[in-house]
Amino acid sequence: MDHTDIDVPDVAKMIDHSLLRPELTTRDVLEGCALAARYNVASVCARPVDVARAAKELSGTGVLVGTVVGFPHGSSLTAVKVAEARAALADGAHELDMVLSIGRLRDGDDRAVADDIHGVVRAAREGGALVKVIFENAYLTTDEKIRACRLSDEAGADYVKTSTGFAPSGATVEDIRLMRANVPPRMKVKAAGGVRTLDLLLEMVEAGAARFGATATAKILDDLAARRATAS
């Protein structure tokens, strides 16, 4: 995709500005929320402990607040993930990025994986929130990724997502194509982990990604603005 085909506001609304690093201070979180509001991105993806604060900071800006569930390993009991989801919704989250049960998927225990996702989806629907299912593709085979797509669809999730950003590798163009080909049109694909340049983001849009987890938000959007200005 050529940068002249897409505007800065369009790309901004594809980005979930990530505020998930464990070392972030309250000041870092507030600065991240201010950046998200300044660029008018789709959302911030905040740590659960920061959701209420982020919701307060971003109230009235048009930037949503998301958070993570079962992060980063997906190994929590379903009941714990459901409790996390409900607490996040009560604090003001509108989007939930949950990590599926990676080990159970690799075991071939599809029923356990689907039930786990569905539990979070059901809780999310109570609060009108979206659910994005994180696969953590660095640990999965092609067959496991395809099964994860099918199970996420069956459980009623809204997005499938490549990675947490905390595994040995993150999003790849090949995985975006694979995931887009194996979920129905109603579902969207989110790329996360290593999406730090405008060129990679645009390549992934072409491959089928609709949303991106990013920490390099300002760099990406400033680069696009500069290119648009040069081309005009």
Side-chain angles (χ1 to χ4, degrees):
M1 177 178 292
D2 189 275
H3 67 270
T4 59
D5 294 332
I6 192 164
D7 291 324
V8 174
D10 297 325
V11 174
K13 284 303 183 185
M14 296 179 184
I15 293 176
D16 297 336
H17 184 58
S18 179
L19 298 172
L20 295 173
R21 295 199 313 272
E23 75 275 16
L24 294 180
T25 64
T26 298
R27 179 176 178 179
D28 294 329
V29 172
L30 294 177
E31 289 177 351
C33 289
L35 184 150
R38 185 164 68 251
Y39 284 92
N40 196 25
V41 299
S43 78
V44 298
C45 191
R47 300 172 302 194
V49 71
D50 298 319
V51 169
R53 180 175 286 110
K56 180 180 178 182
E57 290 298 312
L58 292 167
S59 177
T61 66
V63 177
L64 300 177
V65 176
T67 192
V68 288
V69 172
F71 196 83
H73 302 304
S75 302
S76 302
L77 295 170
T78 300
V80 174
K81 291 181 179 179
V82 169
E84 279 190 285
R86 287 180 173 148
L89 296 173
D91 281 345
H94 296 91
E95 300 188 348
L96 304 176
D97 291 29
M98 70 163 292
V99 187
L100 58 68
S101 186
I102 300 165
R104 294 294 182 264
L105 180 69
R106 297 187 68 207
D107 281 339
D109 192 348
D110 289 3
R111 185 73 272 141
V113 175
D115 287 348
D116 186 60
I117 298 168
H118 187 248
V120 174
V121 169
R122 189 166 55 243
R125 295 297 181 259
E126 295 170 3
L130 297 178
V131 174
K132 306 168 198 159
V133 181
I134 306 172
F135 293 2
E136 203 66 288
N137 285 339
Y139 302 129
L140 305 180
T141 65
T142 296
D143 175 69
E144 288 163 351
K145 295 169 192 175
I146 292 171
R147 283 173 38 232
C149 285
R150 175 176 56 80
L151 295 169
S152 298
D153 175 31
E154 289 176 3
D158 303 284
Y159 282 77
V160 289
K161 178 178 171 182
T162 62
S163 325
T164 64
F166 290 86
S169 61
T172 67
V173 173
E174 292 74 18
D175 277 344
I176 297 299
R177 291 195 184 105
L178 178 72
M179 294 163 75
R180 180 65 270 167
N182 284 281
V183 293
R186 73 165 188 86
M187 295 186 76
K188 297 179 181 179
V189 180
K190 178 176 173 179
V195 185
R196 300 187 182 94
T197 68
L198 174 62
D199 289 330
L200 180 56
L201 182 147
L202 294 177
E203 188 177 3
M204 288 187 171
V205 170
E206 192 71 25
R211 194 78 74 87
F212 297 87
T215 57
T217 302
K219 176 178 180 290
I220 291 168
L221 295 175
D222 289 347
D223 187 8
L224 180 56
R227 295 191 199 187
R228 294 282 292 176
T230 300
S232 62

